[in-house]
Amino acid sequence: MAFRCKDVELLAHTLICSLVVLLCISQSYATSTDIYCLKTVRQSLKDPNGYLSSWDFNNNTEGFICKFTGVECWHPDENRVLNIHLSDMGLEGEFPHGIENCTSLTGLDLSSNKLSGPIPSDISKRLEFVTSLDLSTNRFSGEIPSSLANCTYLNILKLDNNQLKGNIPLQLGELNRIKTFSVSNNLLTGPVPTFHNDNVTADDYANNPGLCGKPLKSCPGIKKKSQSGIIAAAAAGGVTFTAIIVGLVLYYFKPRALKRKKEDDPEGNKWAKSIKGTKGIKASILVTFLAH
Ligand SMILES: *[C@@H]1O[C@H](CO)[C@@H](O)[C@H](O)[C@H]1NC(C)=O
Ligand SMILES: *[C@@H]1O[C@H](CO)[C@@H](O)[C@H](O)[C@H]1NC(C)=O
Ligand SMILES: *[C@@H]1O[C@H](CO)[C@@H](O)[C@H](O)[C@H]1NC(C)=O
Ligand SMILES: *[C@@H]1O[C@H](CO)[C@@H](O)[C@H](O)[C@H]1NC(C)=O
């Protein structure tokens, strides 16, 4: 299905693919998995403030999960989850792995809680069609998984205000729909990815111990030096190479070029003469014609 969508995307407009994705999602999944999904999500989250008390799985009427706090369905009378917003509820625990069974999910907001542990390394399998992922202001630790680069529909990715460390996977720059990306206030180091649009600003990277590269300061050290070294060497090499080529060209082709010029001139004269000739003929024809 993802392949079909990718093909369509190559051929047609982004909007068309989005529509196809929605159709793919809406046609191919049973809804019982979504109930199971929310059950496991509920089980894996500690909810000391009781915000999730409305998550009662005993009432099995169609669409009952759509009334749960923070759950938005595709249709209010169908148990198929579109978005989950569980922001600022004091939730504790790890990233809810069971989310993978909400197979039609397009948005997940777990921001401003006390969630901890790593972001699952296989997150792209769990959130294949997600367009918005907000895990900001939690206690997530470990590295940012490079598999996020496979969540190709992501528009919004917010990971700021956590305890994420290590490098930002440069593959994230392949997310060509990204409009919002923030990783400020973490423990990240190294070069930042290059995104297709310029909307990611220095603020989105602020308060990390060692990030570099556009829009921040360029990365220091070996890489840059060797790059400028290569450029200088290439420039010097280029100059001598060009000089040699010019020399060779001059040596081999100058006589011929001169010869050609000499040949060209008579030819040009011939041509000019032949024009004059035809003109002359035409004129004489005209004269004889008029004379009649
Ligand atoms: C089940 O949920 C539906 C929709 O929220 C509600 O109308 C109905 O009264 C509930 N039934 C029970 C037994 O709680
Ligand atoms: C998702 O659902 C399948 C089938 O019900 C189950 O085997 C699997 O363990 C679920 N995944 C998670 C992470 O709960
Ligand atoms: C993305 O998916 C492809 C194909 O499933 C896989 O080969 C690749 O390793 C994944 N990339 C990342 C960064 O996980
Ligand atoms: C970039 O940001 C500006 C202002 O915030 C907004 O108007 C514009 O649509 C954004 N562009 C993209 C490609 O997201």
Side-chain angles (χ1 to χ4, degrees), residues 178-179 197 199:
I178 279 286
K179 295 189 174 69
N197 80 40
N199 273 25

Side-chain angles (χ1 to χ4, degrees), residues 32-58:
S32 61
T33 62
D34 285 51
I35 300 171
Y36 185 74
C37 162
L38 295 185
K39 265 186 194 170
T40 55
V41 168
R42 174 71 194 86
Q43 276 162 15
S44 64
L45 295 174
K46 277 180 221 143
D47 176 29
N49 303 317
Y51 280 103
L52 302 181
S53 55
S54 66
W55 288 35
D56 174 10
F57 292 91
N58 294 319

Side-chain angles (χ1 to χ4, degrees), residues 266-278:
E267 265 177 12
N269 282 341
K270 265 186 207 165
W271 196 67
K273 273 178 193 167
S274 70
I275 286 176
K276 272 185 193 168
T278 51

Side-chain angles (χ1 to χ4, degrees), residues 3 6 121-122 124-125 145-151 169 171 174:
F3 276 117
K6 270 189 181 165
S121 59
D122 57 353
S124 67
K125 281 187 212 149
S146 61
S147 78
L148 276 171
N150 272 351
C151 297
Q171 299 99 307
E174 291 159 21

